[in-house]
Amino acid sequence: MKFFLDTANVEEIKRINELGLVDGVTTNPTIISKEGRDFKEVITEICGIVAGPVSAEVIALDTEGMVKEAREIAQWADNVVVKIPMTEAGLKAVHILSKEQIKTNVTLIFTVAQGLMAAKAGASFISPFVGRLDDIGTDSLALIRHLRQVLDQYGYSAEIIAASIRNLKHVEDVAELGADIATIPGSIFPKLWSHPLTDAGIEAFMQDWQSFKG
Ligand code: E4P
C-alpha cells in the first residue's frame, strides 16, 4: 500500500520522508493557504523532496480555466499531478488533459458513480473523502469497498486515494479494503508507528536495566 502525506508543510514532509514512508503528497487550497506561501513555490519545493506524485489543485471552476491552470501546473515538475474537482466541467477538463498525458486526481468523490465517471474520463487518481462522509453519517468504508470492486471489475487503471483521513482506524480500514493509497495528515501519520504499550514497554525495560546495573 502507498502512503501520501496530506499536507503542504515542508518540515512535516521532510521528517516523514526520511523514514522512507512517503510515496506522494496531496494538497488542496485549504492546505496550501495554511502555509501562507506562494502556491508555485511550495509545490515546486515539495516536488523536489518527494519522488512520487504531488497533487496541486486548480482554482478555476470552468473547463477552459481548469485546463489552462492545469497546463501551467504540469510544467512545474515532472511528478506534479493536477487535482480537479468532481463536476461536469471537471470531467471535461480531465478528458482533455488525459489526451495530453497530463495526470489528474479527481477530488471530492462521495459516490461510486462519481468515482466511475472520473475513472472513465481518464483520471489517474480518484479521491473519495472518508472523513467527510463519516461526518454526515454515511458509510464511507462501503464507498471504498465498492469503488475497489467496480474499478477492478471493469479494469480501470485509476488509483484510489482514500482522502479525508481523520484517524488511525481509517488508515487500517482503507488498507484492508484495498485502497491503493491513503493520504494522511501530518498530525495523524506518527500514530501509524506509535502505541502507548510500546512506550510503556521501553520505559519498563530501561528501568529494569538501570536497577540491574545498579
Ligand atoms: C486530499 O486530497 C483532500 O483534499 C483532503 O484529504 C481533505 O481532507 P479534509 O476532509 O480533512 O479536509
Side-chain angles (χ1 to χ4, degrees), residues 6 26-28 31 57 83 105 107 127 129 131-132 161 163-166 183 185:
D6 200 20
T26 50
T27 67
N28 61 33
I31 287 171
E57 189 159 343
K83 220 176 187 193
N105 168 6
T107 189
S127 292
F129 276 37
R132 292 193 198 188
I161 305 180
S164 190
I165 293 285
R166 302 272 168 80
T183 190

Side-chain angles (χ1 to χ4, degrees), residues 33-186:
S33 68
K34 281 185 193 154
E35 298 308 307
R37 296 179 57 192
D38 177 70
F39 182 33
K40 180 177 177 180
E41 180 194 282
V42 72
I43 292 294
T44 309
E45 186 175 353
I46 295 168
C47 286
I49 299 167
V50 174
V54 175
S55 289
E57 189 159 343
V58 296
I59 302 302
L61 295 177
D62 62 299
T63 302
E64 198 185 330
M66 286 186 203
V67 169
K68 188 166 175 273
E69 277 181 50
R71 286 178 180 145
E72 153 114 36
I73 290 170
Q75 304 288 319
W76 295 351
D78 288 343
N79 54 336
V80 82
V81 170
V82 182
K83 220 176 187 193
I84 304 273
M86 175 65 223
T87 59
E88 181 179 348
L91 289 174
K92 194 170 168 186
V94 166
H95 185 53
I96 293 167
L97 295 166
S98 72
K99 287 190 275 188
E100 299 176 20
Q101 272 72 53
I102 293 177
K103 289 190 172 175
T104 53
N105 168 6
V106 176
T107 189
L108 293 161
I109 301 262
F110 294 97
T111 65
V112 173
Q114 288 181 319
L116 260 180
M117 295 303 98
K120 191 170 176 68
S124 301
F125 301 94
I126 58 171
S127 292
F129 276 37
V130 172
R132 292 193 198 188
L133 275 176
D134 284 0
D135 292 345
I136 60 162
T138 300
D139 187 354
S140 59
L141 299 182
L143 174 61
I144 302 296
R145 184 183 311 114
H146 294 143
L147 276 172
R148 176 75 285 149
Q149 190 185 326
V150 295
L151 291 191
D152 289 349
Q153 190 162 298
Y154 294 102
Y156 289 113
S157 58
E159 292 186 77
I160 301 171
I161 305 180
S164 190
I165 293 285
R166 302 272 168 80
N167 51 54
L168 172 62
K169 183 81 168 51
H170 277 158
V171 179
E172 293 177 341
D173 285 341
V174 301
E176 194 179 323
L177 294 169
D180 298 286
I181 301 149
T183 190
I184 306 162

